[in-house]
């Protein structure tokens, strides 16, 4: 399993150091344009202390008569003729959480190795070292350093402390889930009349069986199910774009509690940022293959649908809470809609100088104003305390505007989670 999110494999029991801490392993996957580049990158990783390194032609199982995949079409035809490096590195002596700042720098370093040889880092997987070593496929093994661990600095690096948060947001209650469900069904009936006339992602709300289903325990549970129906696992499709008007109307509905409206706005933020986020994550790959970053049709249609309906949300600006205005400002930035109410409202959002919120507002201001000169320092300030921005923007192929748009939803949602005690439960 390879990925870029850092989700760990479920580990089995692993070898431990003298203090009883199982050694941690990371398997990195690199894609290179030819065998020579792959072997050069593999040698560099082995020289850095990686324990096992193999070099194989891309989709090598398709050429193995004993494999289930023999003769089948490639799952990634764009890499036809390319080569891959799979390299296992072991990091011992520390708990996984303590290793994170160093592992982040390792991911950046490995990506740099791939770029230096004309390729890109395709992903990585994690788990206890003994588990990963046991399942490591050794076909094409070119380097083996039995028992080797990557040298760790002492002390290990630590993440920087973030600046103080802004003032807590208020009025964030989500209300009763049954009330929210009734509001959602009413909006769907008002817009579509029946399940047959509704988009696929919304029709289930109007299906007769839905009315007799088990009640939801929380509003969050229902909204999570709705979000997955609109964009399964967060991936935009044509059905996502078709469902956007329903989400926008639900945000405007007076029967939806303030906290639920913010959850819905958060979903819209992630959908609007899906194109830039993909462009950032694939920047090295696109460059290595000689292409240019481009939104998929579904991502473009989704963002355009949100932007088309955004004036309806902004028309209520004067009566909205500060928290909703904060979210709407980010949505306007993501949809490239510098409405004058939003631009004026930036200056009065509760974002004290020196707070993390002030840094987020500076980013939104630079994006709304298409201020290239202001964008770089805004991202630099965020990078000084937010390691995720450092990692996502580490490569030279990442466009700064795409980076700003990609990181904005998480920044806004993390800030909105800062709620005063009297404000009710957060979303």
């Amino acid at each position: 399993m390879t990925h870029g999110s850092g989700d760990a494999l479920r580990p089995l029991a692993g070898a431990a150091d003298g203090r009883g801490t199982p050694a941690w392993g990371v398997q990195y996957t690199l894609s290179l344009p030819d065998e020579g580049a792959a072997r050069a990158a593999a040698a560099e990783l082995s020289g850095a202390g990686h324990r096992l390194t193999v070099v194989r032609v891309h989709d090598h199982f398709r050429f193995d008569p004993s494999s289930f995949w023999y003769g089948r079409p490639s799952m990634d035809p764009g890499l036809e003729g390319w080569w891959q490096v799979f390299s296992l590195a072991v990091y011992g002596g520390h708990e996984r959480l303590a290793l994170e700042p160093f592992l982040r720098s390792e991911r950046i370093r490995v990506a740099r190795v791939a770029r230096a040889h004309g390729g890109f880092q395709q992903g990585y997987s994690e788990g206890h070292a003994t588990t990963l070593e046991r399942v490591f496929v050794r076909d094409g093994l070119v380097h083996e350093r039995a028992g080797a661990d990557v040298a760790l600095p002492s002390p290990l690096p630590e993440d920087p402390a973030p600046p103080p948060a802004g003032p807590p947001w208020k009025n964030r209650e989500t209300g009763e889930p049954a009330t929210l469900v009734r509001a959602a069904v009413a909006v769907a009936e008002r817009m579509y009349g029946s399940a047959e006339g509704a988009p696929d992602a919304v029709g289930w709300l109007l299906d007769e069986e839905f009315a007799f289903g088990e009640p939801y325990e929380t509003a969050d549970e229902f909204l999570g199910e709705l979000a997955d129906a609109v964009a399964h696992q967060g991936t935009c499709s044509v059905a996502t774009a078709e469902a956007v008007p329903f989400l926008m109307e639900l945000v405007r509905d007076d029967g939806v509690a303030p906290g639920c409206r913010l959850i819905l706005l958060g979903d819209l933020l992630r959908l609007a940022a899906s194109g830039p986020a993909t462009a950032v994550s694939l920047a090295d790959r696109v460059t290595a293959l000689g292409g240019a970053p481009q939104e998929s049709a579904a991502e473009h249609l989704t963002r355009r649908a949100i932007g088309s309906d955004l004036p309806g949300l902004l028309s209520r600006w004067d009566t909205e809470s500060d928290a909703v205005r904060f979210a709407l400002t980010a949505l306007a930035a993501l949809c490239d809609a510098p409405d004058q109410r939003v631009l004026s409202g930036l200056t009065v959002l509760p974002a004290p100088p020196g707070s993390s919120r002030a840094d987020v507002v500076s980013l939104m201001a630079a994006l709304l104003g298409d201020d290239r000169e202001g964008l770089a320092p805004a991202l630099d300030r965020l990078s000084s305390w937010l390691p995720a921005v450092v990692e996502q923007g580490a490569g030279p192929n990442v466009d700064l505007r795409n980076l700003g748009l990609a990181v904005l939803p998480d920044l806004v949602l993390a800030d909105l989670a800062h709620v005063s005690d009297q404000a009710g439960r957060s979303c």
Side-chain angles (χ1 to χ4, degrees):
M1 178 175 99
T2 56
H3 50 75
S5 67
D7 298 332
L9 295 171
R10 187 179 297 277
L12 303 176
D17 62 16
R19 289 174 290 178
T21 303
W24 197 251
V26 180
Q27 179 180 299
Y28 301 93
T29 303
L30 282 61
S31 290
L32 288 304
D34 54 53
E35 183 179 2
R39 286 183 174 275
E44 194 166 339
L45 296 179
S46 178
H50 287 208
R51 186 174 293 186
L52 294 168
T53 310
V54 303
V55 171
R56 297 194 291 260
V57 69
H58 177 72
D59 277 350
H60 81 288
F61 289 118
R62 293 173 54 228
F63 308 104
D64 180 357
S66 66
S67 170
F68 170 80
W69 298 103
Y70 179 67
R72 293 175 180 266
S74 173
M75 297 293 288
D76 194 347
L79 295 181
E80 191 75 38
W82 278 54
W83 286 69
Q84 290 180 303
V85 174
F86 299 90
S87 194
L88 175 62
V90 175
Y91 308 88
H94 297 274
E95 297 287 350
R96 171 60 180 82
L97 186 61
L99 287 169
E100 176 54 29
F102 180 73
L103 291 182
R104 189 180 301 113
S105 69
E106 283 284 275
R107 295 192 292 267
I108 293 171
R109 185 182 64 80
V110 171
R112 189 182 303 123
V113 170
R115 283 195 302 270
H117 295 281
F120 58 96
Q121 180 178 230
Q122 193 168 1
Y124 62 95
S125 57
E126 298 189 32
H128 285 189
T130 53
T131 303
L132 292 186
E133 188 166 7
R134 186 168 65 249
V135 301
F136 190 86
V137 178
R138 295 175 178 243
D139 295 0
L141 186 69
V142 291
H143 300 285
E144 179 171 7
R145 301 181 62 179
D149 283 12
V150 173
L152 298 174
S154 182
L156 285 173
E158 296 182 0
D159 285 336
W169 304 105
K170 299 179 181 179
N171 195 25
R172 292 289 313 278
E173 72 278 0
T174 56
E176 292 298 321
T179 303
L180 173 63
V181 172
R182 286 195 296 269
V185 171
V187 169
E189 289 176 340
R190 186 165 68 241
M191 294 182 69
Y192 309 113
S194 69
E196 289 74 20
D200 291 343
V202 179
W204 59 282
L205 291 169
L206 300 174
D207 191 284
E208 186 174 336
E209 293 183 2
F210 176 74
F212 299 99
E214 291 293 325
Y216 293 93
E217 294 186 4
T218 65
D220 304 61
E221 183 185 353
F222 169 73
L223 290 174
E225 189 168 321
L226 176 61
D228 193 56
V230 170
H232 181 59
Q233 295 183 344
T235 302
C236 290
S237 65
V238 173
T240 305
E242 293 173 346
V244 162
F246 169 77
L247 294 180
M248 301 292 272
E249 185 64 25
L250 190 57
V251 172
R252 288 192 290 264
D253 192 270
D254 291 334
V256 176
C260 293
R261 295 182 66 214
L262 284 167
I263 293 177
L264 288 164
L265 285 171
D267 292 336
L268 290 165
L269 287 172
R270 293 193 187 282
L271 294 177
S274 59
T278 299
V280 169
S281 66
L282 297 181
D284 282 348
R285 175 190 168 111
V286 170
T287 301
L289 292 172
Q294 188 175 7
E295 281 182 314
S296 70
E299 290 166 343
H300 174 74
L301 289 172
T302 298
R303 187 168 58 85
R304 189 173 69 178
I306 295 172
S308 296
D309 271 4
L310 188 56
L313 291 183
L314 296 179
S315 66
R316 302 161 50 118
W317 180 270
D318 291 339
T319 60
E320 297 287 13
S321 67
D322 281 339
V324 170
R325 289 174 184 166
F326 183 65
L328 286 176
T329 300
L331 200 58
L334 285 161
C335 295
D336 195 19
D339 183 280
Q340 188 55 49
R341 286 165 295 196
V342 174
L343 294 172
S344 300
L346 268 173
T347 61
V348 295
L349 284 172
S355 66
S356 59
R357 188 178 302 161
D359 288 349
V360 178
V361 169
S362 293
L363 174 63
M364 292 194 289
L367 292 170
L368 283 165
D370 197 19
D371 180 8
R372 290 279 173 172
E373 291 186 1
L375 183 57
L379 287 168
D380 284 345
R381 285 196 296 275
L382 290 166
S383 296
S384 70
W385 57 268
L386 194 62
V389 179
V390 177
E391 184 172 2
Q392 291 184 63
N397 301 317
V398 174
D399 176 80
L400 287 186
R401 181 170 179 81
N402 279 339
L403 176 61
L405 295 170
V407 301
L408 186 56
D410 283 346
L411 288 165
V412 170
L413 294 176
D415 190 287
L416 286 173
H418 183 50
V419 190
S420 60
D421 291 339
Q422 68 268 31
R425 59 182 301 281
S426 65
C427 345

